[in-house]
Every structure is written in structure tokens, then in C-alpha cells.
Amino acid sequence: LKAHGRFGLDRALAPAIKYAEGGFPVAARVAWDWRHYVGKLKADPGAAKHYLFNGAPPREGDVIRFPALAATLKAIAAKGARAFYEGEIAADMVATVAAAGSFLTAADFAAHRGEAVTPISTNYRGLDLLEIPPNAQGLTALAMFNILENFDLAALDPVGPERFHLVLEAARLAFALRDSHVAEPSFMRVKVPDLLDKGFAKKLASHIDMDKRSKLPGAPTPGTDTVYLTVVDRDRMAVSFINTLYSHFGSGICTEKTGILLTNRGACFTLEAGHPNEFGADKRPLHTIIPALAMKNGRCDMSFGVMGADYQPMGHVQIVNNMVDYGMDVQQAIDCPRFFFEGEQTVVETGTPAATVAGLEARGHDVVFALTPWGGAQTIKIDWDRGVLVAGSDPRKDGCALGY
């Protein structure tokens, strides 16, 4: 807000305070998700107090309120962002995690500062894709674009087995790259420009066999409690924003006084000795959340993101492929059937053509159908020539595309 905004934190937080205090109705998808995690919430006194209602999850259409969170947000609005990291709110978080055996102290909270970072980027068929640098996983999406640039995707059926197979193999290579190298930047052994070198990507692409699934390294199993949103204002300032607790309801631990659910991002560390992402003091883990922007001719062409933990880079690539290689509009690009992998299994969404599933199996993929949809995307494309914004929102979630 200080660098780019027009008003203060008090005004920016006013709508969140209004809904936390006055209540809001629970949407269908949120209610569906919530009821699966009652056991996790009941296991923690703070979580049970603030996120269950008479011991039960809310139903679709129930109006729910978060008075403790409203008071927390009011304090931050009145005293500024440091009120979260110092004073009563921070003390409540420190006491809560200390009771669970955490090493975090009040000094750790007080010393924390966010960073303004320079995005990393690559060019894919004339479009400059911008991603968050390490310790986030944006490099994974850019590596995939660099690999796929060596293939003629436009010649492949967008929902056919050849396209699914190719992108899956590129993803497996890019995620192996991520899992080997991405960490707190000062601990990384290979520089980002070297990992995004086009010549290196060409060598990676040579490992892909279009007729069969190759023996490549696996990747972690996704889990998600993430929200993505994007806004473009009248001056064409684009905001691509993502926020997360990582797993559903994060760690499942909630502060009893202030109502703050605590993240479990530490799960993204590894305990492998000597690995750049090894758990340790004064380090941030590999981070999966990656808002994105696409630039063309020096201007923002598109602001977009896809929820879904480890799936996010795959989601970025699929949406851009759908638009750049197949000419889909933003909503078509979002709606198109998705696919990913969990360990050695290939996981496809319901709605994937039977012939595509058969074609993947013929190439050695162990195909299963996803129990829930992959990710959730929001996209705004800026049409500079006609002076309009074109937006799409994922039917897999409760979001919407809205002009106002």
C-alpha cells in the first residue's frame, strides 16, 4: 500500500473486518471441504473454538462470524502491520506454538521482515512469463515452458493423449529440478539463470520419449488450503496475489485469543542431510505458492494464478498452453480437463476423454481419476487495443469473474 496504493491499511482491511464481525454465508464448495476436517479441528482447542460451531462444521448457506479475528484485524488496522509481529497478537501466537513444542520466540516474530523481490522470467513463444523466485517454486513452471518450447504443441489435440503425455513428462523433469535445487536462495548450489538456461532445457527435452513414460524422478504429493485472486484497476495496475495455510486448515493449530490459524509450511523442508532445502535455523522452506504475470511488448498482458500446492506450476503451464498454443479464451483455458501426477501415478480429472486415458495407459502411465478437481484458477487478460478486461474464474472453486 505504501509503494503502490492510494489509501491506508485501515481502509484495506475494513471489508474483512465487516465480514468477520457481521458474518457471511458459507458457499457450497467451502462447506463441502470443511466437513472433511472436523477431526483435525476438534484436536486443537483453539481450532475447535473458532472454526467449529456447536462442535460442527457450517453447512452451505449458514451465516458464520469470526469475532476474535475481527478484533485481531481491527488492532492491525489501527496500529499497523507491526501489530501482528509484536505485542499481544504475537505473544498469543508464540504461547500457542510453544505449548506444542515449537522453537519460535517473540524475538523471531519481531525480527521478521517481508521482502520485495525481483521476479524471474522466461519467454514462451513471444510471451514473457514472470514468476516469484526461490525459495518459491516459480522456477518449476518456467523450466516446463523452456522444455515444452522444443515441441509443437499446437499440432497435438488439446485433450488428446499425446499432449497429456508430453506435458506430464515435462512436468516430471521440472519437478525433479525443483526438488533437487530450490531452497532458501543463499543455500542454493546452482544459480537460477543456469537452471533456466534454454540450452539446458533442450537437453532435458531430449529425455522425453513421445511413445512411452520414461523412468524419471518422482515428486511430492499435493495438499492445499490456498486462495488466489487477481485484480486489474482502471489504470491497468495488475495485482496477482496468493495466500495460503498450505494443508487444509494449515497445521490445525489455532490461537485461542486471537483466532489465527497457523500454517504448516515447515512441511516443505526436507530432513535429507546436506540438501539445500534441509531444515535449519534462519531458513525458509521451498514454498509452493506462486502468483504469476505475463508480459508482452513491455506491458502486462495477463495476471493469473492457480491454487493447488505442488500443482500450481502445472496449472500455470496448462493455462498458458491452452491460450497460446490452442487459441482458447481465458474461461476455456481454465475449464479444460486437468492432469498431474502423484508419485508414480498419473491423475486425471473426471471429464478426460476415455481415448486419452487409454492412450496414456498404452504409454506406460498408471492412470487414476482425481477424487477432487485439480487446483482453482483466476485470470484477467488485458486487451489494450480495445480498452477492455477479459476475466475467467474456475468453476472448481467458489470464485467469480467480476467487473465493477
Side-chain angles (χ1 to χ4, degrees):
L1 286 170
K2 287 178 180 177
H4 303 287
R6 292 192 176 92
F7 43 80
L9 191 59
D10 54 349
R11 181 175 166 188
L13 290 176
I17 293 169
K18 172 188 171 184
Y19 286 118
E21 198 166 49
F24 59 93
V26 175
R29 175 63 198 271
V30 174
W32 187 89
D33 285 332
W34 209 313
R35 64 186 173 89
H36 289 84
Y37 297 95
V38 174
K40 184 174 185 177
L41 295 170
K42 280 186 175 180
D44 179 76
K49 176 181 177 180
H50 296 293
Y51 293 95
L52 293 176
F53 305 87
N54 295 319
R59 298 166 300 169
E60 179 185 350
D62 283 354
V63 176
I64 60 173
R65 295 170 178 82
F66 297 114
L69 270 184
T72 298
L73 291 170
K74 281 183 179 179
I76 296 168
K79 300 175 184 177
R82 295 311 302 170
F84 181 83
Y85 298 100
E86 300 167 6
E88 294 180 8
I89 297 172
D92 191 27
M93 289 188 285
V94 169
T96 300
V97 296
S102 173
F103 305 120
L104 287 170
T105 66
D108 292 321
F109 277 82
H112 177 77
R113 295 293 185 277
E115 288 182 348
V117 296
T118 301
I120 56 177
S121 66
T122 197
N123 185 279
Y124 181 75
R125 309 199 201 283
L127 198 63
D128 291 316
L129 282 310
L130 274 61
E131 296 279 1
I132 298 293
N135 57 312
Q137 66 169 345
L139 182 147
T140 317
L142 300 182
M144 281 186 68
F145 284 120
N146 286 346
I147 293 167
L148 291 171
E149 196 174 42
N150 293 281
F151 300 88
D152 184 7
L153 265 82
L156 307 177
D157 180 347
V159 294
E162 294 83 4
R163 187 261 177 121
F164 278 41
H165 170 74
L166 171 59
V167 177
L168 282 162
E169 295 297 271
R172 292 172 65 223
L173 284 164
F175 276 84
L177 198 69
R178 181 199 76 169
D179 295 340
S180 300
H181 299 290
V182 175
E184 178 71 38
S186 60
F187 287 83
M188 287 178 63
R189 299 188 186 113
V190 182
K191 294 180 180 178
V192 170
D194 294 333
L195 294 171
L196 294 179
D197 179 74
K198 296 278 190 177
F200 176 55
K202 198 174 188 69
K203 290 179 181 177
L204 291 175
S206 69
H207 291 283
I208 295 176
D209 186 332
M210 289 299 291
D211 295 322
K212 66 179 182 181
R213 185 179 187 272
S214 302
K215 290 184 178 180
L216 301 174
T221 301
T224 175
D225 200 356
T226 303
V227 172
Y228 174 83
L229 62 89
T230 178
V231 179
V232 177
D233 72 8
R234 64 189 175 196
D235 300 318
R236 298 303 182 252
M237 180 174 72
V239 176
S240 184
F241 179 87
I242 199 161
N243 185 58
T244 183
L245 290 172
Y246 193 43
S247 295
H248 297 283
F249 292 100
S251 61
I253 298 171
C254 178
T255 58
E256 291 199 49
K257 295 178 184 177
T258 51
I260 299 170
L261 269 169
L262 301 170
T263 179
N264 67 330
R265 276 287 161 190
C268 293
F269 278 120
T270 179
L271 298 180
E272 181 185 333
H275 193 286
N277 190 40
E278 182 185 5
F279 171 75
D282 295 318
K283 289 178 72 174
R284 298 168 296 180
L286 179 153
H287 212 295
T288 61
I289 60 172
I290 48 171
L293 292 170
M295 308 288 288
K296 185 180 285 186
N297 300 324
R299 300 186 297 193
C300 183
D301 181 76
M302 187 165 69
S303 179
F304 69 106
V306 184
M307 297 165 256
D310 292 290
Y311 172 76
Q312 290 179 57
M314 185 70 150
H316 288 196
V317 169
Q318 287 172 344
I319 284 177
V320 172
N321 283 165
N322 287 343
M323 295 178 72
V324 172
D325 295 299
Y326 298 114
M328 298 183 191
D329 65 32
V330 291
Q331 193 62 57
Q332 290 172 323
I334 289 170
D335 293 349
C336 195
R338 293 180 182 154
F339 49 96
F340 195 42
F341 61 96
E342 288 183 331
E344 293 302 306
Q345 285 188 318
T346 292
V347 187
V348 300
E349 287 186 319
T350 301
T352 300
T356 298
V357 173
L360 288 170
E361 289 175 337
R363 288 170 172 80
H365 292 265
D366 178 13
V367 182
V368 297
F369 282 92
L371 298 176
T372 57
W374 278 118
Q378 313 292 338
T379 302
I380 301 174
K381 186 172 175 61
I382 303 174
D383 188 328
W384 291 93
D385 294 332
R386 293 183 290 180
V388 297
L389 304 175
V390 184
S393 181
D394 208 319
R396 299 165 178 84
K397 298 287 185 181
D398 284 315
C400 67
L402 181 70
Y404 65 97

